[in-house]
Amino acid sequence: RFATLLGAAALGFGGYHLLPDARKSEAQFAIFSALSPLFRLMDAETAHELGIELLARGVAPLEMRLDDERLRVTLWNHGSGKKQHAGVTFPNPVGLAAGFDKDAKAFPALLGSGFGFVEIGSVTPKPQPGNPKPRVFRLPEHAAVINRYGFNSEGHEPAELRLRAYREAGNPTQYARREKKNAGGAATTSDASFSPPLGVNLGKNKLTPEALAYEDYVEGVRALGAHADYLVVNVSSPNTPGLRDLQSKKFLEKLMRKVREARDGLPDGRRPPVLLKIAPDLTERDVRDVASAARKAKVDGIIVSNTTVARPDGVRAHPHGGEAGGLSGAPLMDASTEMLRLVYSATGGAIPLVGCGGVSDGKDAYRKIRAGASLVQLYTAFAYQGPGMLPKMKKELLECLDKDGFASVREAVGADHREMK
């Protein structure tokens, strides 16, 4: 089968260079869609590692078609005069969640493949191997994965080197691009060609005690913050002992205050927004506490949510259903969307939310948006379907907006809550 696909690709390559850009992108995504099932012939972690290696070498489809303006989202634009913050602009609301490109090796190719933003990490200060293998298990009947990676990370230093090399190669953060424009340069995020935002997700080392956890996150801000369009504090992975305890109101207020102070101390006036990533397994009281702490600490956004430790009945009956770790994929969609609704209500819609968990197509993304998400993220569906899913997903999202009469994604954010009043 592989030889047949390669042969067909070779026959078609002769006329490829004659195609317009839109058709070239279409052809590239078709080829990668055909090849994606081959990765499922390998075990999950080997496929993940191979995918990262290929992407790091630029083996990925290049999206040359501009996103529809209705999909564009701008967040964190506020103030006026000298204190005005122009915000961060996303060409479309569909992003890749942290956990895929843990060590910042593949993000340039991912950004070029049509995502509206990409989040690398989680990155820990010191290198750590994570949990013993096997630690990733596919549940294809449920379009799901259970993983217990355990924050395997090469540490801050290698990630910083890769991020800095990318920025110095002519790919500045949106903030730096605007500063260049203000100084007389030509770049601006109003240009259709601006790069999608790059997020940096920060984690803590396994051996760092809870009482000192804030030091790991502060160190991450100082090491990587200058290269990030936004930062994420991950306190919700189920695979690091004690990490989810940091979601308690007592720890969270201090942690996020320390992180914001470190962010405000970055050089050259850089102030990337700071987001908090939470679990889907919180009680309603927990949600109220998180919302209260987020407001007091002036958190810029909340990602809802990480993987779950819950096991729906169908998953529990699967041969891998009893494996320890976080469950992601389709079974998480309903629970994570309900958690999103609760957080949106608890924050009064005042804090931008990123909907993550179970998103596999444009209709799922639209459900998240109506529930209160300004942006959405996926991971497991991307692992199963490959980059070929992105053009279709964005088309479906536009169809959903058109059907309900919304002129933009922003108009649809939180629509379910308005209709309930």
Side-chain angles (χ1 to χ4, degrees):
R1 183 181 179 186
F2 185 57
T4 301
L5 288 169
L6 286 179
L11 287 172
F13 185 75
Y16 172 80
H17 69 283
L18 300 176
L19 296 174
D21 285 350
R23 294 292 303 278
K24 285 179 180 177
S25 285
E26 185 178 331
Q28 289 183 45
F29 278 99
I31 291 170
F32 278 88
S33 292
L35 294 175
S36 290
L38 296 175
F39 282 84
R40 293 200 288 277
L41 300 176
M42 315 169 201
D43 71 84
E45 186 158 359
T46 298
H48 185 182
E49 291 171 347
L50 177 59
I52 292 295
E53 181 65 25
L54 291 172
L55 287 162
R57 296 173 181 270
V59 181
L62 178 63
E63 181 56 271
M64 292 178 273
R65 298 162 291 188
L66 295 179
D67 284 318
D68 192 295
E69 286 285 337
R70 291 171 290 173
L71 295 179
R72 180 172 291 196
V73 177
T74 298
L75 299 175
W76 308 299
N77 51 331
H78 51 77
S80 60
K82 292 183 179 180
K83 293 186 177 181
Q84 184 176 6
H85 190 288
V88 180
T89 298
F90 302 78
N92 71 73
V94 181
L96 181 64
F100 185 80
D101 188 13
K102 294 176 179 290
D103 294 303
K105 295 178 179 179
F107 68 88
L110 291 164
L111 287 169
S113 66
F115 280 109
F117 60 108
V118 170
E119 190 174 308
I120 65 103
S122 294
V123 189
T124 59
K126 299 176 183 177
Q128 61 180 32
N131 293 319
K133 299 178 182 181
R135 53 192 180 180
V136 192
F137 307 90
R138 293 192 188 99
L139 289 75
E141 299 89 343
H142 302 282
V145 167
I146 293 174
N147 93 82
R148 51 172 180 265
Y149 271 119
F151 277 0
N152 52 312
S153 173
E154 293 180 3
H156 286 167
E157 186 175 351
E160 194 279 331
L161 289 172
R162 295 181 187 114
L163 292 170
R164 176 152 47 92
Y166 174 74
R167 295 305 188 192
E168 291 178 350
N171 305 290
T173 63
Q174 290 192 11
Y175 173 84
R177 189 180 293 267
R178 282 191 297 269
E179 289 299 294
K180 181 179 179 181
K181 170 66 176 179
N182 293 338
T188 168
T189 53
S190 65
D191 294 340
S193 60
F194 74 90
S195 297
L198 176 64
V200 175
N201 186 300
L202 306 174
K204 86 170 191 70
N205 282 114
K206 182 177 181 179
L207 298 181
T208 302
E210 290 177 31
L212 299 177
Y214 71 88
E215 294 183 353
D216 280 11
Y217 294 101
V218 165
E219 189 176 338
V221 173
R222 291 171 177 164
L224 306 175
H227 307 305
D229 286 298
Y230 70 89
L231 293 163
V232 180
V233 174
N234 185 357
V235 292
S236 52
S237 169
N239 301 315
T240 297
L243 185 70
R244 290 193 168 187
D245 293 341
L246 301 180
Q247 293 175 115
S248 68
K249 190 174 181 180
K250 172 185 174 183
F251 285 103
L252 204 52
E253 288 184 18
K254 177 180 179 181
L255 169 62
M256 298 310 294
R257 186 176 68 252
K258 292 283 188 181
V259 168
R260 279 183 57 87
E261 289 172 356
R263 187 278 308 271
D264 291 345
L266 289 174
D268 303 324
R270 298 172 190 268
R271 300 290 185 272
V274 174
L275 284 68
L276 173 69
K277 187 167 186 175
I278 65 173
D281 308 308
L282 303 178
T283 65
E284 290 193 30
R285 180 176 178 178
D286 291 335
V287 169
R288 290 194 297 270
D289 285 347
V290 166
S292 174
R295 285 194 297 265
K296 287 182 179 179
K298 298 181 179 179
V299 168
D300 296 301
I302 302 174
I303 300 178
V304 188
S305 64
N306 213 316
T307 57
T308 181
V309 294
R311 296 291 186 269
D313 290 341
V315 170
R316 193 181 301 119
H318 190 277
H320 292 312
E323 294 288 350
L327 172 69
S328 62
L332 185 55
M333 178 66 190
D334 290 344
S336 60
T337 305
E338 181 58 29
M339 182 61 60
L340 179 67
R341 294 183 198 280
L342 292 173
V343 175
Y344 185 89
S345 295
T347 58
I351 299 176
L353 305 180
V354 182
C356 184
V359 176
S360 61
D361 57 29
K363 294 178 182 178
D364 289 342
Y366 186 59
R367 277 185 62 193
K368 297 280 190 189
I369 290 167
R370 289 189 60 102
S374 295
L375 304 168
V376 298
Q377 290 181 319
L378 52 87
Y379 176 174
T380 301
F382 181 72
Y384 274 110
Q385 300 180 42
M389 70 179 294
L390 292 173
K392 181 182 177 183
M393 185 173 180
K394 289 185 281 188
K395 180 182 178 183
E396 290 173 345
L397 178 53
L398 283 169
E399 290 171 351
C400 290
L401 292 172
D402 287 341
K403 181 180 178 181
D404 288 348
F406 293 117
S408 66
V409 168
R410 177 169 287 280
E411 284 190 10
V413 174
D416 288 348
H417 300 267
R418 296 192 293 273
E419 291 180 359
M420 291 171 62
K421 293 182 179 179

